[in-house]
Amino acid sequence: HEVETATHRGWADKENGDLVDACVEAGFDVVLSIDQGQDFTKVVKGKAIAAVLLPGSQGSRLADVLPLVDKILEAIPIARRGSITRVKP
């Protein structure tokens, strides 16, 4: 899997719909997020991208995400476009 951060892509200022749309336009298959809000769920619905939602309490720094890598790798193959797959802590 190839992984890029929104910051690396220059998308740090994008939120919800704009970020998801940018991911779709760039050809990404999956977006990872810690956004637990209903807005994010609504934005992904019907889009040509799958979302894997990480536990928000974990944070988004590399050190926060590394312990979840195995669970993320399990979630990616079952994630479906237009919907959210949640990773449990």
Side-chain angles (χ1 to χ4, degrees), residues 19-74:
L19 179 59
V20 171
D21 289 342
C23 290
V24 170
E25 289 172 20
F28 286 97
D29 297 313
V30 177
V31 60
L32 299 179
S33 180
I34 61 166
D35 188 340
Q36 303 291 322
Q38 287 292 342
D39 289 342
F40 185 77
T41 302
K42 290 176 185 176
V43 165
V44 172
K45 188 175 182 178
K47 299 283 183 168
I49 194 165
V52 173
L53 191 60
L54 306 179
S57 61
Q58 296 295 118
S60 62
R61 298 172 316 167
L62 182 59
D64 300 323
V65 176
L66 282 177
L68 299 171
V69 168
D70 288 341
K71 291 179 180 182
I72 293 168
L73 291 174
E74 290 173 6

